[in-house]
Amino acid sequence: MSLRNLLIAIFALALSGCANSPPKSVESACSILSEKRNWYKASRKVEKKYSLPIHVQLAIIRQESSFRHNAAPPKKTLLGIPLWWRISSAYGFAQAKDETWEWYMEKTGNWGADRDNYGDAVDFIGWYSSVSQRTLGISKWDAFSQYLAYHEGHTGYKNNTYKGKPWLVSVAKKVESYSSTYAAQLAGCRNKLKSSAWWWPF
């Protein structure tokens, strides 16, 4: 084994225990991506592939899972007693449901994708945003509308189902706010993130 491969293996072992842990702070995009260099690489890849800005990716994930890889809805209850199944099949960073994730894998051919893998989750979000743009005309920079289509599905968004859900509109405004904040932060640290990413092996 070459010295480079040995160093990569050591890094991988050292980081394996914390790779999926949430970032220390979700308030700063610069802090998140400085701490999670592999996340920056994955998000940058999606930005190039799907033209979905990194700040929109982060805003959606923050709302959906607070950057927890194994986030899941609560379990159903009967007379206050938790049952085995959950109220939804949503899971992982992007909170994608079983059927939507299967649709994504079928359309992209990414059959090995896992919802608790950050790179796969942001690729899913990038792909979904492209469908939203193509079928609904939603700009990929419009975090508010992208989130509504993400939450309600393309048919639901087209039918304006969100208009009967004031709470959801409020959530979408939060996503828009997160996105704007992250965009401003990234403007000040993007070059630093980019220059420090080349040597990061993951």
Side-chain angles (χ1 to χ4, degrees):
M1 179 183 291
S2 68
L3 178 59
R4 179 179 182 278
N5 289 339
L6 178 61
L7 289 173
I8 289 175
I10 292 173
F11 269 115
L13 287 173
L15 294 172
S16 60
C18 60
N20 281 327
S21 61
K24 295 175 182 176
S25 171
V26 301
E27 301 297 328
S28 168
C30 298
S31 176
I32 292 169
L33 298 179
S34 292
E35 179 185 346
K36 305 285 188 178
R37 302 296 180 89
N38 56 327
W39 288 13
Y40 170 73
K41 281 193 166 185
S43 281
R44 181 68 181 119
K45 182 179 179 181
V46 168
E47 186 175 58
K48 291 179 178 179
K49 182 178 180 181
Y50 295 108
S51 299
L52 181 68
I54 292 176
H55 56 267
V56 178
Q57 300 173 37
L58 294 178
I60 290 174
I61 290 182
R62 177 177 176 178
Q63 178 58 44
E64 291 298 277
S65 67
S66 295
F67 299 96
R68 291 177 292 118
H69 76 284
N70 60 351
K75 292 181 178 180
K76 286 189 175 183
T77 60
L78 178 63
L79 300 178
I81 301 173
L83 302 176
W84 289 107
W85 56 92
R86 299 184 182 275
I87 61 175
S88 168
S89 63
Y91 178 74
F93 285 109
Q95 287 296 279
K97 294 181 179 179
D98 290 349
E99 59 271 21
T100 312
W101 192 257
E102 289 171 5
W103 179 38
Y104 157 72
M105 291 192 293
E106 178 184 351
K107 292 298 182 180
T108 63
N110 189 13
W111 292 106
D114 292 319
R115 286 177 285 182
D116 56 5
N117 177 282
Y118 182 88
D120 291 335
V122 288
D123 191 78
F124 166 78
I125 292 172
W127 168 81
Y128 197 93
S129 75
S130 292
V131 179
S132 297
Q133 182 188 54
R134 185 173 68 251
T135 61
L136 301 170
I138 301 174
S139 168
K140 293 180 182 178
W141 289 75
D142 183 354
F144 176 80
S145 298
Q146 280 285 350
Y147 182 77
L148 289 175
Y150 189 86
H151 188 278
E152 294 296 271
H154 299 120
T155 300
Y157 181 89
K158 189 174 182 179
N159 292 334
N160 297 318
T161 55
Y162 60 89
K163 291 185 177 180
K165 302 176 181 178
W167 62 268
L168 177 58
V169 174
S170 296
V171 171
K173 288 179 179 178
K174 283 175 56 179
V175 174
E176 183 178 43
S177 177
Y178 296 153
S179 178
S180 296
T181 299
Y182 285 155
Q185 293 167 343
L186 286 171
C189 67
R190 181 179 284 267
N191 288 337
K192 183 178 180 181
L193 288 169
K194 186 176 180 180
S195 64
S196 63
W198 69 269
W199 60 268
W200 194 254
F202 310 107

